[in-house]
Amino acid sequence: MKKLLASTIVCSALIIGTLDSAVAANKITIKFSHVVAENTPKGKMANRFKSLLEQRVGERVEVDIYPNSQLFGDNKVLQAMLLGDVQIAAPTLSKFSRYTKKLQLFDLPFLFKDMEAVERFQSSDQGRSLLKSMERKGLIGLGYLHNGMKQLSANDPLRIPQDANGKKFRIMSSDVLQAQFEAVKAVPLKKPFSEVFTLLQTKAIDGQENTWSNIYSKKFHEVQPYITESNHGLVDYMVVTSVEFWQQLDNELRREIKQAMDEAIQFGNQVALEKSVSDRQAILDSKRSELITITDSQRQLWIDAVQPVWKQFESQIGNALIEAAVQSNTP
Ligand code: LMR
């Protein structure tokens, strides 16, 4: 009898062990690669996504997050995604032009007057439709995430467009942003986010454009004596995955991932709102960089100087999308 009991226990242990290893073997790993620090809207969104999803279906999936360009820079991450080497990324909307020209809309200078207008557009039918604009190229948009409006920083004060003449500015890999700086006779240089601090520190470039959160979290203000509060453009993100990864998931896991991502994005947008105030204040308190405010007439000079960029990219973006975005400025 004792022998029978002992062998039953051994067999059960073997079966449980086999089942555990089978479940473990089927556990999915989601690699989430991004280029910013953890204490940023995108960094906090990613960590919140991980904790929500692993709390709910941790026996089936684990999320490994790689911040600060540790795994891929934004110039490689989408190719890596299509090869299956990373499952989630959230590049800035400026960085998708190899897959669709429509998202160049978000780079048009002075298009959106504030983040409320951006939110209205992104939540509209036209905005939601852009999440599907790359599916034929293998990429699915899971949602938009905010960061904020861009400010201009430089080694000299920038008050009017002429102040930018001949100066070298780092830009994201975007033809619209290249045209924007060329319109004010500046010299745009497409460089990865991870190189910006050193380029500024060594004076290889004179200035850059980015949000308060990205300037503060990467300490650009410590190597840029002047920041012009221009609010001239946008850094927002599209959270993407590959069609291939998404389609091989079962319905339950797809639903749980989408739900966790929706909640994480909601949290990240709240962080973006808070950091656009707190990181701006932290920069001012540091006294490392002088805030340059511009008058309405000075601002109009910048608007007039870069307006031709809209026309230049209208055929690629589509006039209807531009019109819809302009309409979103009216509540
Ligand atoms: C940049 O390259 O300046 C930004 O896209 C970085 C980021 O992801 O916010």
Side-chain angles (χ1 to χ4, degrees):
M1 184 59 181
K2 278 186 181 173
K3 275 186 182 171
L4 178 61
L5 182 61
S7 58
T8 310
I9 290 168
V10 168
C11 287
S12 322
L14 279 173
I15 291 167
I16 291 167
T18 312
L19 281 175
D20 280 351
S21 53
V23 168
N26 293 330
K27 192 165 185 174
I28 289 172
T29 298
I30 291 177
K31 290 183 180 176
F32 188 157
S33 169
H34 67 78
V35 299
V36 292
E38 294 192 272
N39 189 21
T40 59
K42 180 157 52 177
K44 283 182 169 290
M45 176 277 279
N47 290 336
R48 178 58 65 94
F49 170 70
K50 172 183 172 68
S51 63
L52 286 171
L53 191 63
E54 290 181 351
Q55 269 166 28
R56 295 169 182 169
V57 284
E59 71 285 355
R60 297 197 57 200
V61 63
E62 73 169 78
V63 181
D64 296 338
I65 298 171
Y66 300 87
N68 294 304
S69 308
Q70 283 170 12
L71 190 61
F72 294 106
D74 279 341
N75 57 338
K76 293 264 190 306
V77 73
L78 296 175
Q79 288 164 282
M81 179 168 285
L82 294 175
L83 291 171
D85 296 334
V86 67
Q87 285 68 43
I88 293 184
T92 300
L93 293 162
S94 314
K95 302 183 177 179
F96 289 94
S97 57
R98 262 191 286 185
Y99 302 89
T100 176
K101 297 300 181 190
K102 293 181 178 174
L103 293 177
Q104 295 181 118
L105 170 82
F106 291 99
D107 278 345
L108 292 180
F110 297 103
L111 176 66
F112 296 105
K113 67 177 185 179
D114 54 30
M115 293 307 292
E116 289 72 24
V118 175
E119 179 58 38
R120 278 193 294 272
F121 175 75
Q122 289 177 349
S123 311
S124 71
D125 292 344
Q126 293 93 334
R128 306 298 303 164
S129 71
L130 290 176
L131 293 171
K132 299 178 181 300
S133 59
M134 299 178 280
E135 288 185 356
R136 278 203 218 114
K137 298 284 178 68
L139 295 173
I140 292 180
L142 295 177
Y144 292 104
L145 173 71
H146 294 318
N147 184 326
M149 303 303 278
K150 289 186 292 192
Q151 317 305 327
L152 277 173
S153 73
N155 291 326
D156 299 299
L158 301 175
R159 292 186 176 84
I160 57 175
Q162 283 72 14
D163 294 338
N165 285 12
K167 286 190 170 32
K168 285 183 266 187
F169 287 85
R170 177 268 174 172
I171 60 170
M172 293 182 276
S173 53
S174 156
D175 293 344
V176 176
L177 298 180
Q178 179 166 330
Q180 169 189 283
F181 280 97
E182 287 171 348
V184 294
K185 298 183 179 51
V187 180
L189 298 169
K190 295 177 181 178
K191 293 289 181 185
F193 185 57
S194 57
E195 294 180 14
V196 177
F197 181 85
T198 304
L199 288 165
L200 293 169
Q201 189 181 41
T202 59
K203 305 233 184 308
I205 56 174
D206 303 299
Q208 61 85 47
E209 56 169 4
N210 227 307
T211 62
W212 293 115
S213 165
N214 280 353
I215 292 170
Y216 182 65
S217 58
K218 288 296 184 184
K219 304 184 188 310
F220 297 163
H221 60 294
E222 294 183 1
V223 287
Q224 288 276 264
Y226 301 96
I227 299 177
T228 298
E229 189 156 36
S230 52
N231 291 310
H232 66 279
L234 174 71
V235 169
D236 259 17
Y237 309 110
M238 188 181 288
V239 185
V240 291
T241 188
S242 71
V243 169
E244 188 180 349
F245 172 72
W246 198 246
Q247 285 180 344
Q248 54 91 30
L249 296 170
D250 61 49
N251 288 338
E252 187 223 5
L253 214 39
R254 230 191 324 262
R255 189 176 54 253
E256 291 290 354
I257 290 171
K258 187 66 171 69
Q259 180 61 37
M261 184 54 77
D262 287 349
E263 292 177 35
I265 285 174
Q266 209 171 9
F267 170 70
N269 284 341
Q270 188 53 41
V271 173
L273 213 56
E274 291 159 6
K275 282 190 171 300
S276 60
V277 175
S278 60
D279 286 354
R280 175 182 182 278
Q281 190 55 51
I283 288 169
L284 300 186
D285 294 346
S286 76
K287 303 203 185 313
R288 302 293 294 270
S289 189
E290 180 183 340
L291 180 71
I292 304 290
T293 50
I294 52 178
T295 63
D296 289 349
S297 55
Q298 287 171 332
R299 182 179 174 79
Q300 193 58 48
L301 290 175
W302 289 95
I303 292 171
D304 294 347
V306 297
Q307 190 60 40
V309 173
W310 290 32
K311 195 73 188 154
Q312 186 179 344
F313 288 88
E314 184 184 320
S315 59
Q316 292 184 31
I317 296 168
N319 187 47
L321 271 182
I322 297 173
E323 273 310 304
V326 169
Q327 289 309 313
S328 69
N329 285 315
T330 310

